[in-house]
Amino acid sequence: MATIDVLLPVKNGVDFLAESLDSLKAQSFKDWRVLVLDHGSDDGSAEMAARYHEADPRIELHSFPEADGLSGLLNKGLEISDCRYVMRHDADDVCYPERMALSLAAFEQDRQCVAIGGQADVINAAGAPIGDMSMPIGRLRVGAASLFRNPIAHPTAMLDFAQVQKAGIRYGSDFMGVFAPEQQMVVKNLAEDYFLFGQLAVQGKCNNVPHKLIKYRWHGNNVSARRFDDQMKVSLQISRYLSRAFAQMKQQPYFDPAPFCNHGGILFELEGRSDFSAEFERMAASVRGGFEGSPEVERELRFRKIADTRNSALLLWRYFLFQSREVPETGEWNAIRSWLIRRLPGKRRMSVLPEGVPA
């Protein structure tokens, strides 16, 4: 049994797979096994993984062409894992050499965590730097953030496998046990990672290290680029589901998180409204009550307060005051900027229905 099993799903990812595998082989921590989960590739990805296995038996190829979406594929990987920690890695991303060591050290420092992620550099298809991915730090902060966005960058995540098994954690399914089976949400793809980490985070079981763990590759074939609108709709459904679960678990009043979400770096339009100040006060009271108040939670609420208006001038002014006092994170400035851009004539807007109204 290796200390770490790495779940590496791939479907026609041969262009970047070698660099991805090489970055795992270069880890300073050596007690690992890579489970390449092939989802029916026909571009040579499986053959490349097989060649890597011949050179290094720690790299294994497992083919699951029948798996039901990414959730199903990753769950197949969990079923064949045998380790202390299970780590996610994508076929087009690159690990920094200390990634495993830093994540393991974080688990040693905080045994209450089930999942730990981190920060990332963002690169393009050619490997050139184009930005960074900054994620929240602190279990309470990550928990509060999870109601409005995915608080963990999936390709940076590592999970305590014993806790995964004990709690029956699987991608796409509800493992919180708050709702009756017939009321539980299922997420097969598009935001299966958010559903998993969100459930853990609202229970205070997730954190991020302050270190950059990977180079995250952004290119035209990312699911987030190809199916953006669909992903945003699913993400909002998850936020609303998590808010209901959070309210029930913490015995707090329910609130609709939609006005304050920044999934994909956007703010949603709801019913053509521009003032959500009353909704913010209700939301903030529930979040403070559920997480018992902390500087971490207040940092999250200070950003969400910006979004209680859709007046463009006020929105921009509030953001600049905010960023003069705080270090902005991924998706925060993009949410404000994209709202302003979408006010321009001819630009497409992203609107959602109020909760309870069928699509």
Side-chain angles (χ1 to χ4, degrees):
M1 180 181 78
T3 300
I4 298 171
D5 275 352
V6 181
L7 303 187
L8 194 160
V10 62
K11 183 169 185 177
N12 295 335
V14 72
D15 290 345
F16 307 114
L17 182 58
E19 186 178 10
S20 179
L21 290 171
D22 287 342
S23 74
L24 291 168
K25 292 182 66 175
Q27 290 295 294
S28 62
F29 183 81
K30 302 299 183 183
D31 186 21
W32 49 261
R33 179 177 65 150
V34 176
L35 305 177
V36 178
L37 309 173
D38 182 63
H39 201 196
S41 297
D42 57 12
D43 68 341
S45 295
E47 291 79 3
M48 176 179 286
R51 291 195 296 272
Y52 267 80
H53 172 71
E54 292 176 2
D56 189 337
R58 294 178 299 175
I59 299 173
E60 300 179 3
L61 171 64
H62 299 268
S63 295
F64 299 106
E66 77 288 354
D68 187 7
L70 181 57
S71 290
L73 186 64
L74 292 172
N75 287 337
K76 294 285 189 182
L78 290 175
E79 289 171 9
I80 61 174
S81 293
D82 181 21
C83 54
R84 288 184 59 197
Y85 299 95
V86 62
M87 186 179 103
R88 274 285 289 111
H89 186 61
D90 281 337
D92 50 2
D93 294 336
V94 181
C95 286
Y96 285 119
E98 296 299 315
R99 175 187 176 178
M100 291 182 181
L102 289 167
S103 297
L104 290 173
F107 274 109
E108 289 300 317
Q109 292 173 6
D110 190 349
R111 300 307 305 174
Q112 295 185 62
C113 278
V114 176
I116 292 178
Q119 319 304 312
D121 284 315
V122 183
I123 59 176
N124 62 17
I130 57 175
D132 55 40
M133 187 180 292
S134 178
M135 307 302 290
I137 297 169
R139 282 192 291 111
L140 294 179
R141 172 74 203 293
V142 170
S146 71
L147 297 165
F148 313 102
R149 58 171 288 192
N150 189 344
I152 300 282
H154 194 193
T156 70
M158 184 181 288
L159 295 94
D160 183 326
F161 190 61
Q163 294 300 318
V164 168
Q165 295 295 77
K166 180 179 179 181
I169 295 170
R170 290 296 185 268
Y171 284 92
S173 63
D174 182 333
F175 50 82
M176 291 182 291
V178 175
F179 303 117
E182 65 273 12
Q183 298 175 314
Q184 292 177 0
M185 187 176 186
V186 175
V187 180
K188 290 188 177 181
N189 53 34
L190 296 177
E192 68 290 327
D193 55 332
Y194 176 34
F195 193 41
L196 188 152
F197 297 128
Q199 292 180 72
L200 290 172
V202 296
Q203 300 177 73
K205 297 179 180 180
C206 288
N207 206 346
N208 287 303
V209 299
H211 313 285
K212 290 183 176 180
L213 302 180
I214 68 168
K215 295 179 183 179
Y216 172 77
R217 197 182 304 270
W218 178 259
H219 52 87
N221 287 327
N222 296 86
V223 171
S224 297
R226 290 185 288 107
R227 300 188 61 186
F228 181 79
D229 286 1
D230 291 338
Q231 190 174 55
M232 294 307 97
K233 291 175 182 177
V234 174
S235 295
L236 180 57
Q237 290 171 359
I238 294 170
S239 284
R240 285 170 161 166
Y241 188 84
L242 292 174
S243 181
R244 289 197 296 273
F246 172 79
Q248 188 159 324
M249 285 189 296
K250 303 294 185 176
Q251 297 183 321
Q252 296 294 321
Y254 170 75
F255 61 88
D256 183 3
F260 313 103
C261 289
N262 61 323
H263 296 300
I266 63 168
L267 298 178
F268 297 113
E269 294 186 62
L270 288 92
E271 301 179 336
R273 295 178 55 196
S274 62
D275 183 1
F276 298 97
S277 54
E279 286 86 348
F280 174 81
E281 294 304 325
R282 289 195 293 271
M283 177 273 288
S286 289
V287 171
R288 288 185 179 115
F291 289 108
E292 300 179 352
S294 77
E296 294 176 12
V297 171
E298 292 305 314
R299 158 61 176 83
E300 187 65 28
L301 291 177
R302 281 193 290 276
F303 176 73
R304 302 300 154 190
K305 174 64 178 174
I306 298 171
D308 77 7
T309 180
R310 294 300 193 270
N311 177 288
S312 296
L314 182 56
L315 194 68
L316 185 60
W317 174 246
R318 284 182 174 183
Y319 177 78
F320 279 119
L321 287 177
F322 169 82
Q323 62 88 37
S324 71
R325 302 166 185 165
E326 308 283 356
V327 178
E329 294 172 350
T330 298
E332 292 183 338
W333 166 237
N334 286 343
I336 308 304
R337 181 179 62 180
S338 68
W339 174 267
L340 298 173
I341 290 173
R342 295 200 311 274
R343 299 310 94 196
L344 297 175
K347 293 294 183 179
R348 187 173 63 86
R349 303 183 180 187
M350 187 73 182
S351 60
V352 298
L353 293 169
E355 191 165 24
V357 178

